[in-house]
Amino acid sequence: MDAEIELKLFFQLEQQEALVHLLNSLPHSEPEGVKKLINRYFDTPDLQLRKWNMGLRVRNDDGEREQTIKTAGSVIGGIHSRPEFNVAIEQDEPDLTLFSEKMWPELSKVSSVQSELLCLFNTDFVRQIWHIYIDDSLVELALDVGQVSVKREGEVISEPICELEFELMAGETSALIQLGLLVAEQIPVRLGKASKAQRGYRLAAQASPLSLDVLDFIALVPEQDLKNTFIVLLSTGLERWQLLEAMILESGVKNNEQAPHLCYRLRACVRLLRCTLAQFNLLDDKLASKFDCIEGHLDFIETGLSLVEIIDQNSLLIAKLPQKKQLTALAYAQLNALSIPTLIDSMLNDTCYGGLQLALVELLLAFQAGKRVIDKRLELQEFADKMQEASWQRIVELMPSDENLSSQEYQSFARALDESIFVGVAYGALYPTKDRDLFRAPWEDLVLGIRTLAAYRQLAELSKAKGIDLSDWLLNKEQSLLFAMEHSRRSALNNQPYWR
């Protein structure tokens, strides 16, 4: 058995030539040639190997065949660690009897699995290889370009493969990140979470669609020290970021109505990560500039959410207006004019995006290895109380109960309110569920109210541009909503915080 430790990065095909030039020019870089790899992935019709968290592949490398079983292993912040079992074979079909009996979870089922195996999908690509020395470590870097493909009802469906795989051959895991950062400074890349096999299963419709409906509370326990708390917060934030990115690329950019909501959640993950670094005094100017860069690419979100709320067939926003069809058509046109897929591509093609991901992974690995420490002596519960109290006091200062807030003021406070809610996402699991949820509910309602106020503003702009007079209707709607929000806010400010 071998154990792979690797970092995977995704890139755009148009960056291939620049990547090859960069990798050839790096110090201590030794090109190791080019090969074409043909890979077939097998499982049973009921996905028994998948149920065992195993992936079975037969690889053809210029006539030399090898069958491989990969187990689930782990992925932490983009670093993949996966045990694998390899056996040379002479045929294109796998022979499970050639593997050690000790590796099977249920040895009695292996013969029936063997008899039912079928090829689910292929991953075929050209691999260019370098050996690169980083201090005393050796990294094998593979640049893979090809496709994942599956036959479905006589038709071949495929997705492109554009990946960089950094595999540690000898030395320290930190060498993978050092080399990744060198690449990310010059070429737009992003962390790769999904393996080729995972992508193949989804393409073959043999895996559940990606989903992350809400930002659930992060799983913390009071017994954790602050170092392990930080590691959990950072690794969870990175994992959710990668998942939402994959959801955006697989579905969101194809559907303008989904994209703003998915991008909002992605930005929430990025903001949660920023808040976490700030709380632990780890947000330096270099990291802050990368966060700001990504925020800039996502500044279409509020406009997009407003337009989607106008369009939403289940929304009561404009349901009773006689101009409903005209306004909906105008909102669709405006949403298409935003060119959200282009804006997302622009973000992914900015080096700040992958650069921040890799910088966070570097920080995560440094704390895991004990090379960085948390200079705080508080217990987790006390620290969480302090973080939530500081966040709460900021909201109280921005929204004092003895002052009336206008629509514009509410919208200007939206980010602060978001960030206060994210602090609750980070530490809320440490508190009684009922008290926590009762306290948070009116503030989450205010966030939705702010979004509706923004939609009214968007409606005002759309109607004015087309000579539709909605001024009296909009004023009445806005005032009614503000009255309800003010009542909710004052009640919420009087509620006893659950962390005290």
Side-chain angles (χ1 to χ4, degrees):
M1 179 187 77
D2 298 318
E4 286 185 321
I5 300 177
E6 64 180 26
L7 170 71
K8 185 192 298 290
L9 300 179
F10 296 149
F11 63 91
Q12 298 293 324
L13 183 58
E14 56 265 27
Q15 302 293 344
Q16 181 181 1
E17 186 176 338
L19 271 170
V20 170
H21 177 75
L22 172 62
L23 297 174
N24 281 329
S25 67
L26 288 176
H28 313 297
S29 173
E30 299 177 357
E32 295 291 323
V34 179
K35 57 177 68 176
K36 183 173 183 179
L37 301 176
I38 299 171
N39 308 275
R40 302 173 72 205
Y41 285 79
F42 293 82
D43 208 331
T44 64
D46 66 347
L47 305 182
Q48 182 58 63
L49 293 174
R50 188 78 166 165
K51 293 172 185 175
W52 286 342
N53 289 319
M54 290 178 162
L56 173 61
R57 178 190 73 201
V58 172
R59 168 168 289 174
N60 187 328
D61 178 2
D62 194 25
E64 295 186 5
R65 296 171 180 81
E66 181 181 64
Q67 65 179 30
T68 298
I69 283 278
K70 290 193 178 188
T71 59
S74 63
V75 183
I76 301 176
I79 300 294
H80 300 242
S81 179
R82 295 178 300 189
E84 64 174 49
F85 304 83
N86 301 296
V87 179
I89 57 174
E90 296 182 357
Q91 70 281 352
D92 290 327
E93 306 297 320
D95 181 354
L96 301 184
T97 65
L98 298 177
F99 291 118
S100 168
E101 293 182 351
K102 296 179 181 180
M103 60 172 277
W104 298 111
E106 299 177 72
L107 182 59
S108 61
K109 288 188 176 181
V110 173
S111 60
S112 63
V113 169
Q114 174 71 57
S115 65
E116 296 178 30
L117 286 176
L118 53 86
C119 179
L120 295 182
F121 56 88
N122 284 39
T123 65
D124 303 328
F125 50 88
V126 174
R127 167 168 287 180
Q128 193 164 351
I129 302 172
W130 291 261
H131 283 174
I132 300 177
Y133 292 87
I134 302 287
D135 298 326
D136 294 327
S137 299
L138 173 61
V139 176
E140 181 175 273
L141 199 154
L143 188 155
D144 296 340
V145 174
Q147 63 181 14
V148 184
S149 60
V150 59
K151 289 184 179 179
R152 191 186 300 165
E153 297 179 357
E155 180 183 1
V156 177
I157 303 170
S158 64
E159 287 183 0
I161 293 172
C162 295
E163 298 179 0
L164 281 173
E165 290 187 357
F166 302 70
E167 184 175 352
L168 186 66
M169 308 299 288
E172 300 292 328
T173 305
S174 58
L176 300 176
I177 298 298
Q178 285 181 254
L179 186 53
L181 284 167
L182 279 174
V183 172
E185 286 174 0
Q186 301 182 53
I187 307 292
V189 293
R190 53 194 173 86
L191 280 179
K193 179 177 174 62
S195 67
K196 296 180 181 72
Q198 288 171 324
R199 293 177 63 194
Y201 272 105
R202 283 205 296 274
L203 192 63
Q206 297 289 347
S208 300
L210 296 171
S211 65
L212 183 61
D213 294 333
V214 293
L215 295 182
D216 293 328
F217 297 103
I218 294 176
L220 300 179
V221 292
E223 294 75 21
Q224 283 177 320
D225 60 23
L226 289 185
K227 171 191 168 183
N228 285 312
T229 296
F230 174 73
I231 288 172
V232 170
L233 292 173
L234 187 54
S235 60
T236 303
L238 276 167
E239 182 178 355
R240 292 180 179 182
W241 179 355
Q242 289 176 268
L243 175 57
L244 283 159
E245 174 196 289
M247 290 170 64
I248 289 166
L249 292 175
E250 288 192 8
S251 61
V253 295
K254 300 173 185 175
N255 185 334
N256 275 341
E257 293 176 61
Q258 280 187 308
H261 287 288
L262 290 173
C263 290
Y264 173 81
R265 295 175 196 163
L266 184 146
R267 188 182 66 182
C269 287
V270 173
R271 286 182 175 178
L272 175 58
L273 286 164
R274 182 175 189 149
C275 288
T276 299
L277 295 187
Q279 289 167 355
F280 286 88
N281 298 319
L282 295 167
L283 184 64
D284 58 30
D285 290 343
K286 188 174 181 180
L287 286 170
S289 68
K290 287 183 168 61
F291 278 109
D292 290 340
C293 173
I294 292 173
E295 284 275 348
H297 283 291
L298 294 171
D299 63 4
F300 66 87
I301 287 175
E302 274 67 35
T303 299
L305 288 173
S306 295
L307 293 167
V308 168
E309 187 162 352
I310 295 168
I311 290 166
D312 188 356
Q313 296 301 311
N314 296 318
S315 171
L316 299 177
L317 197 68
I318 60 172
K320 296 182 179 180
L321 285 175
Q323 306 95 334
K324 176 185 175 181
K325 288 186 177 180
Q326 188 177 1
L327 289 168
T328 300
L330 290 171
Y332 267 120
Q334 190 69 27
L335 187 61
N336 289 331
L338 282 178
S339 299
I340 292 177
T342 302
L343 296 173
I344 292 171
D345 282 344
S346 177
M347 176 178 69
L348 298 180
N349 283 316
D350 193 318
T351 54
C352 73
Y353 185 88
L356 177 58
Q357 289 181 327
L358 283 163
L360 295 177
V361 174
E362 181 182 39
L363 196 60
L364 177 62
L365 291 178
F367 277 97
Q368 287 178 322
K371 296 178 181 179
R372 297 283 300 270
V373 296
I374 299 293
D375 186 22
K376 294 185 182 294
R377 299 179 183 178
L378 299 176
E379 296 294 327
L380 171 56
Q381 193 69 59
E382 186 179 358
F383 180 74
D385 292 347
K386 282 181 171 292
M387 292 301 101
Q388 299 211 111
E389 183 66 24
S391 174
W392 168 246
Q393 289 303 323
R394 185 184 180 199
I395 295 301
V396 171
E397 291 171 9
L398 287 173
M399 301 181 170
S401 60
D402 58 349
E403 293 184 15
N404 293 324
L405 299 182
S406 67
S407 173
Q408 186 174 356
E409 285 173 321
Y410 266 115
Q411 290 172 66
S412 68
F413 298 153
R415 177 163 183 170
L417 190 54
D418 260 359
E419 291 178 353
S420 182
I421 288 173
F422 299 154
V423 174
V425 169
Y427 302 106
L430 298 171
Y431 301 90
T433 301
K434 183 178 179 181
D435 294 343
R436 178 198 68 207
D437 291 351
L438 282 173
F439 182 86
R440 288 172 59 85
W443 295 104
E444 290 170 342
D445 287 343
L446 282 178
V447 170
L448 295 176
I450 291 171
R451 191 178 297 175
T452 302
L453 288 173
Y456 287 147
R457 183 182 60 189
Q458 193 70 45
L459 265 174
E461 293 176 3
L462 286 174
S463 58
K464 184 178 179 180
K466 292 298 181 180
I468 301 173
D469 186 7
L470 296 179
S471 54
D472 291 341
W473 181 85
L474 284 169
L475 180 61
N476 181 60
K477 284 288 188 180
E478 184 177 287
Q479 288 179 340
S480 296
L481 179 56
L482 279 173
F483 179 82
M485 290 173 68
E486 287 289 87
H487 182 268
S488 294
R489 179 175 65 88
R490 288 189 169 91
S491 296
L493 286 167
N494 289 326
N495 289 340
Q496 178 66 21
Y498 57 86
W499 57 87
R500 290 181 182 171

